[in-house]
């Protein structure tokens, strides 16, 4: 949120090159921080304790408990997807900050910035687009990297 606020960041207001659109409140990245709040809440809920479920309760005398692995696995996947999406939004904001200030990425991050911009090009404020789809593509690219198989 502070990255989009000129007074806090020292960057152009709402990370936009189009001050007229900023004045009208029509800047696409304005809502990005709100999505991260939702991702944090999803991850927080998924990170709750996974308790041992009760017995299956079959009629033939089985008295053990169900493994907590399956519900824990689902919760880990949910938290992981929320993290990937939050990282995608942060990557979009970071990419936009470099673009709007005409700064290159540091050499060690140049390839990463190219990867980010392949899924989510900078927002020029002149042609509206659904950033949700762009961020989703980027989150999936992050996921593919995390789960890539090594040769």
């Amino acid at each position: 949120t502070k990255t989009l606020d000129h007074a806090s960041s020292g960057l152009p207001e709402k990370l936009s090159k189009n001050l007229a659109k900023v004045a009208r409140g029509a800047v696409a990245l304005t809502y990005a921080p709100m999505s991260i709040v939702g991702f944090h809440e999803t991850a927080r809920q998924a990170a709750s304790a996974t308790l041992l479920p009760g017995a299956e309760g079959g009629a033939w005398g089985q008295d053990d408990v169900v493994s907590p692995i399956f519900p824990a696995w689902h919760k880990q996947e949910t938290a992981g997807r929320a993290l990937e999406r939050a990282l995608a939004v942060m990557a979009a904001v970071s990419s936009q900050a470099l673009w709007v200030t005409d700064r290159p990425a540091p050499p060690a991050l140049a390839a990463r910035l190219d990867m980010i911009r392949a899924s989510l090009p900078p927002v020029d404020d002149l042609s509206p687009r659904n950033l949700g789809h762009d961020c989703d593509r980027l989150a999936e690219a992050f996921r593919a990297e995390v789960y890539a198989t090594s040769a």
Side-chain angles (χ1 to χ4, degrees), residues 16-74:
S16 177
K17 290 184 177 183
N18 189 332
L19 296 179
K21 283 209 171 196
V22 170
R24 291 192 316 268
V27 180
L29 281 177
T30 303
Y31 303 107
M34 289 183 242
S35 65
I36 290 181
V37 171
F39 299 138
H40 285 185
E41 183 60 19
T42 298
R44 186 191 65 76
Q45 289 173 355
S48 63
T50 301
L51 304 175
L52 291 173
E56 182 271 325
W60 37 273
Q62 185 172 349
D63 62 357
D64 59 354
V65 294
V66 177
S67 170
I69 292 172
F70 299 108
W73 178 20
H74 173 73

Side-chain angles (χ1 to χ4, degrees), residues 39 76-86 136 139-140 143:
F39 299 138
Q76 172 272 318
E77 282 291 308
T78 300
R81 288 210 180 261
L83 173 62
E84 291 157 5
R85 282 159 174 73
D136 191 51
E140 288 303 318
R143 184 173 189 76

